[in-house]
Structure formats: structure tokens, C-alpha cells
Amino acid sequence: MDATKVGSLLPQQFGGILLGTLIGANMNSTADQIITMFSNPAKYIIRRIVVANASISLTTAAGGVYTAASKGGTAVVASSQAYSSLSASTLFLDLTLSTTGSASTTVKSSIPNLYLSLTTAQGAAATADVYVYGDILQA
């Protein structure tokens, strides 16, 4: 796509739009943390969730991303997801998206946010940033 000709295109005509973020996620907490979805489009598909900018080496943190609080709804990322490869703030991790159930299908606007909910806390003060990318579909 010619970068000089994107002005008239709509977000759903691009791939990999940033759909939501959680900046400074507490990686030492097992409480629900809201990943705020920006414009809450009527339909979208989650294609990628990236965690970056870890404040310390995340040696023990593990947990998933869900469509409802208290590890409810659909597990978009499994509760066993490890963050141990984030050993420096310059690294990033593409989380493994669940392929079971409806996690790989369209998420509707009735789910305005996602939730990061760790199963195992880091054990020391730690933060990281979470970015959700995907495709916006026409309603």
C-alpha cells in the first residue's frame, strides 16, 4: 500500500490496528487489570497481544487475558502463559492466543474491555505494558 494514499481509508481497511492498552500493568498482582479497548468497535478480531517494557526480569509471572473479570468469559490467552522471556525492558513477548472455544472468533461490542489476570504474581514489584492489536470489522 502506498503510504501517501492512506488518508481516505477506514480503520477496518488496515490490518493490525492498536485496539487497546494497559500501560504499567502490575505484574506482582493476581487481581483483574482492565485492558481498555479504545473505540470499542462493534466487531473486531484480536490478532496479537504484545507485552513489553518490563520493569524487571519477569522470572515467575504467569497468567492470561480474559473477556470477563475473575478469569471469566473466554480465555483469550491461557492462564499458563509465562512472561519469563521478558528479562530486560528492551524485550517484547507476543502472547500465545488461545485457539479453543470462541477466542479465535469475532469479539462483539458487548465485551468493551479485556482483563489481564495473573495466576502467579512476580513476587516483587514489577510492571509491564500490554498492547492488543487486531482487525476492526464493519458492523
Side-chain angles (χ1 to χ4, degrees), residues 33-53:
Q33 299 179 65
I34 295 175
I35 301 170
T36 303
M37 304 306 277
F38 293 132
S39 62
N40 193 21
K43 293 183 181 179
Y44 57 91
I45 300 171
I46 297 169
R47 298 288 188 191
R48 183 175 177 206
I49 300 177
V50 179
V51 178
N53 197 28

Side-chain angles (χ1 to χ4, degrees), residues 23-76:
I23 304 300
N26 184 348
M27 301 305 283
N28 193 38
S29 171
T30 57
D32 292 329
Q33 299 179 65
I34 295 175
I35 301 170
T36 303
M37 304 306 277
F38 293 132
S39 62
N40 193 21
K43 293 183 181 179
Y44 57 91
I45 300 171
I46 297 169
R47 298 288 188 191
R48 183 175 177 206
I49 300 177
V50 179
V51 178
N53 197 28
S55 62
I56 65 170
S57 180
L58 298 178
T59 55
T60 59
V65 175
Y66 304 88
T67 59
S70 301
K71 297 179 178 61
T74 301
V76 179

Side-chain angles (χ1 to χ4, degrees), residues 29-124:
S29 171
T30 57
D32 292 329
Q33 299 179 65
I34 295 175
I35 301 170
T36 303
M37 304 306 277
F38 293 132
S39 62
N40 193 21
K43 293 183 181 179
Y44 57 91
I45 300 171
I46 297 169
R47 298 288 188 191
R48 183 175 177 206
I49 300 177
V50 179
V51 178
N53 197 28
S55 62
I56 65 170
S57 180
L58 298 178
T59 55
T60 59
V65 175
Y66 304 88
T67 59
S70 301
K71 297 179 178 61
T74 301
V76 179
V77 173
S79 63
S80 59
Q81 173 70 58
Y83 298 86
S84 54
S85 64
L86 294 172
S87 57
S89 63
T90 56
L91 301 176
F92 72 92
L93 172 66
D94 282 334
L95 302 186
T96 303
L97 298 180
S98 175
T99 57
T100 60
S102 60
S104 61
T105 62
T106 302
V107 179
K108 297 184 179 9
S109 62
S110 60
I111 304 168
N113 297 302
L114 296 175
Y115 298 85
L116 172 68
S117 187
L118 298 181
T119 306
T120 306
Q122 175 59 30

